[in-house]
Amino acid sequence: MLIRDETPGDIPAIGPLITEAMRLLPQATGGEAAIVERLRMAGALTLSLVAEDGGRVVGYLAASAARIGPQDGWGLIGPLAVLPARHRQGIGSALMAEALHRLLTTSRGAALVGDPGYYRRFGFRAFPGFGVAGCPPEVVQALPFDGNVPRGELIHHPAFGLDQTA
Ligand SMILES: CC(C)(COP(=O)(O)OP(=O)(O)OC[C@H]1O[C@@H](n2cnc3c(N)ncnc32)[C@H](O)[C@@H]1OP(=O)(O)O)[C@@H](O)C(=O)NCCC(=O)NCCS
């Protein structure tokens, strides 16, 4: 399996992969593939990583720039998606390891919204006073690289379509 940047030839496979994986997630909106499309169109994909195996795209991870309160320089990870038939083979972990490795040199930390049961293994955790309006606080998590304590609202790129004051 190879983790690499997306190429134009991968793009037709990425949307359906995201949609298929997210179908398993009760809180998914079905709009996750469109978010990636909008981020790509806006030139806002800081990372767009694919996991390729046997010539097929089997996993995907996006990252975009985010702000926490007044502080910019955060890398927001998501969506992360692996083809259901390929779950529990380390693909999600390999995508995450590469993303964190890359963000380490460009960001003050990584942040995401997701299941803490999965993301805590990578070092993500919730912080008091850190969140996204309307989300349970435990699902909004960060991994600061510089000992910095995230405080305030996690402001996503407008492509996510959240009603956040910029
Ligand atoms: C979450 C996801 C990306 C994990 O990908 P993966 O390639 O299966 O992950 P890995 O093989 O690296 O790790 C699998 C481990 O994570 C665990 N795991 C997966 N989802 C979990 C969750 N929601 N809570 C707790 N553990 C979870 C598995 O049980 C497995 O544990 P084990 O190694 O002890 O057996 C994949 O399941 C997926 O695409 N799910 C649907 C979309 C989604 O939930 N995306 C993330 C939220 S945006």
Side-chain angles (χ1 to χ4, degrees):
M1 195 205 18
L2 178 67
I3 306 294
R4 58 168 177 77
D5 291 307
E6 77 169 26
T7 63
D10 298 321
I11 293 173
I14 290 173
L17 182 155
I18 294 169
T19 302
E20 189 180 340
M22 291 298 165
R23 228 176 254 141
L24 301 177
L25 211 57
Q27 67 272 32
T29 62
E32 292 79 8
I35 291 171
V36 171
E37 197 54 43
R38 288 197 294 270
L39 286 168
R40 190 183 288 113
M41 295 293 287
L45 282 171
T46 315
L47 294 178
S48 189
L49 299 177
V50 298
E52 180 197 326
D53 195 27
R56 187 162 184 222
V57 177
V58 295
Y60 178 76
L61 180 150
S64 51
R67 208 150 50 67
I68 297 180
Q71 193 174 60
D72 59 15
W74 290 85
L76 189 143
I77 292 180
L80 167 62
V82 173
L83 277 184
R86 302 297 305 271
H87 283 180
R88 304 187 76 163
Q89 297 174 18
I91 297 170
S93 298
L95 283 162
M96 182 60 83
E98 179 65 16
L100 292 177
H101 175 70
R102 297 217 201 168
L103 289 175
L104 200 51
T105 55
T106 58
S107 309
R108 63 171 78 246
L112 52 77
V113 178
D115 187 340
Y118 183 62
Y119 290 110
R120 77 167 56 97
R121 73 191 62 208
F122 305 109
F124 286 90
R125 67 177 182 92
F127 290 84
F130 167 54
V132 172
C135 286
E138 65 275 13
V139 304
V140 185
Q141 299 151 75
L143 174 53
F145 298 147
D146 59 0
N148 198 23
V149 175
R151 200 169 174 82
E153 174 122 9
L154 173 60
I155 308 288
H156 293 58
H157 187 277
F160 283 84
L162 301 181
D163 186 18
Q164 294 182 310
T165 46

